[in-house]
């Protein structure tokens, strides 16, 4: 309750929450407002925005409804961002908890694996993964998760190292709890806050990575995405710049919303500073 009250007092957090709520509403309403395949030809090609009431955002060079694409693209971008971030955080938490609690050879081995993933830029790793296994939504989610799990793992490990010697952990050992039960039941919940604070960066990065992969033609060809719409618009950028600008603004709004919400969460979690007399 206190966290919610502090969050509502954060201007950036509220603005970000409103942006994400609108995008989530658009994603949920897409099948109702625009039923059927958003990739189908709906009208004349290259209709300019706000010139035809049937197509408020116009149509692309094949005659597909841009507004329908933006709404359905919100479903893909948010789904990929949240799913990839969840998978990356889950992998990172498990690896970081095991490394920090076990120590020794296990810690060294797991951290060297994390180093190997961090040496390669995340986007290049995702690019190589999708290029090898083929473009599909599950593959894109897995590729982004594998490129983003190392940093949450290091954060979780650092927290576990500071927690594992505390009194309640020693008490759990004395009463005979299994080491894995101690690690994941007693230590992990207390190591979550800094990792969850990092989640917003992971979600924003996942949305941008998915858009970049789709822009390069490595997204799922059967799913409308903002990156693919931007790539489609670049072919007629001079004649119809709105085809890239509109989905680009939607993409910027999603990332900005995630960033502002993370600012609000940080403000809510930050201890209140004493007021000046």
């Amino acid at each position: 309750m206190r966290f919610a009250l502090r969050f509502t007092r954060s201007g950036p957090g509220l603005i970000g929450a409103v942006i994400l709520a609108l995008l989530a509403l658009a994603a949920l309403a897409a099948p109702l407002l625009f039923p059927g395949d958003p990739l189908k030809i709906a009208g004349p090609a290259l209709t300019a925005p706000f010139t035809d009431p049937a197509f408020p955002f116009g149509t692309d060079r094949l005659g597909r409804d841009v507004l329908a694409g933006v709404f359905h693209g919100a479903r893909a971008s948010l789904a990929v961002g949240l799913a990839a971030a969840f998978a990356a955080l889950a992998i990172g938490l498990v690896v970081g908890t095991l490394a920090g609690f076990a120590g020794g050879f296990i810690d060294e081995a797991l951290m060297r694996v994390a180093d190997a993933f961090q040496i390669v830029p995340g986007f290049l790793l995702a690019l190589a993964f999708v290029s090898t296994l083929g473009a599909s939504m599950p593959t894109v989610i897995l590729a982004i998760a594998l490129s983003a799990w190392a940093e949450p793992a290091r954060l979780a490990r650092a927290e576990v190292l500071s927690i594992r010697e505390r009194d309640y952990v020693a008490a759990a050992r004395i009463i005979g709890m299994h080491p894995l039960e101690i690690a994941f039941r007693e230590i992990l919940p207390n190591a979550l806050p800094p990792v969850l604070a990092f989640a917003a960066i992971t979600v924003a990065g996942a949305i941008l990575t998915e858009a970049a992969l789709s822009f390069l033609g490595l997204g799922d060809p059967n799913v409308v995405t903002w990156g693919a719409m931007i790539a489609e618009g670049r072919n007629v950028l001079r004649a119809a710049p709105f085809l890239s600008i509109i989905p680009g603004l939607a993409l910027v709004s999603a990332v900005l919303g995630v960033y502002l919400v993370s600012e609000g969460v940080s403000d809510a979690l930050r201890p209140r500073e004493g007021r000046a007399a």
Side-chain angles (χ1 to χ4, degrees):
M1 183 62 70
R2 291 181 180 178
F3 170 82
L5 289 175
R6 288 196 293 266
F7 182 82
T8 56
R9 293 172 185 156
S10 170
L14 284 178
I15 294 173
V18 170
I19 293 174
L20 292 183
L22 291 175
L23 291 175
L25 184 62
L28 293 174
L32 301 176
L33 297 177
F34 304 99
D37 186 4
L39 293 173
K40 69 179 180 182
I41 297 175
L46 295 178
T47 301
F50 311 116
T51 59
D52 186 342
F55 308 106
F57 283 2
T59 59
D60 65 7
R61 60 179 184 157
L62 297 179
R64 296 173 294 196
D65 189 353
V66 174
L67 183 59
V70 170
F71 271 62
H72 282 270
R75 293 169 60 87
S77 293
L78 294 180
V80 169
L82 292 175
F86 177 81
L89 291 174
I91 296 171
L93 283 170
V94 171
V95 172
T97 302
L98 290 176
F101 184 74
F105 174 77
I106 294 178
D107 182 19
E108 188 70 18
L110 291 176
M111 287 302 97
R112 295 298 74 77
V113 173
D115 288 341
F117 275 86
Q118 285 189 303
I119 288 173
V120 182
F123 177 70
L124 293 182
L125 182 61
L127 183 66
F129 194 86
V130 174
S131 300
T132 302
L133 296 184
S136 68
M137 195 63 72
T139 303
V140 170
I141 292 172
L142 181 59
I144 296 173
L146 289 177
S147 67
W149 69 269
E151 189 63 29
R154 289 196 172 279
L155 286 175
R157 173 181 176 270
E159 285 297 308
V160 171
L161 286 174
S162 67
I163 293 172
R164 66 179 185 178
E165 301 302 332
R166 294 184 181 176
D167 292 342
Y168 66 88
V169 178
R173 290 193 181 99
I174 291 172
I175 64 175
M177 288 181 65
H178 192 278
L180 289 178
E181 188 177 5
I182 296 173
F184 290 101
R185 184 176 177 181
E186 301 294 331
I187 296 179
L188 179 58
N190 294 291
L192 281 177
V195 181
L196 293 181
F198 187 76
I201 298 175
T202 307
V203 173
I207 292 174
L208 289 174
T209 302
E210 184 279 328
L213 291 173
S214 297
F215 182 83
L216 295 175
L218 294 174
D220 191 332
N222 299 314
V223 176
V224 177
T225 65
W226 291 333
M229 293 178 69
I230 295 172
E232 173 68 22
R234 68 178 174 176
N235 296 315
V236 288
L237 192 59
R238 291 187 177 181
F242 67 90
L243 293 179
S244 291
I245 292 174
I246 292 175
L249 290 176
L251 180 62
V252 170
S253 298
V255 175
L256 179 63
V258 172
Y259 171 76
L260 292 176
V261 167
S262 71
E263 286 291 307
V265 171
S266 298
D267 290 342
L269 292 176
R270 188 178 300 122
R272 296 182 64 183
E273 298 178 357
R275 296 181 179 178

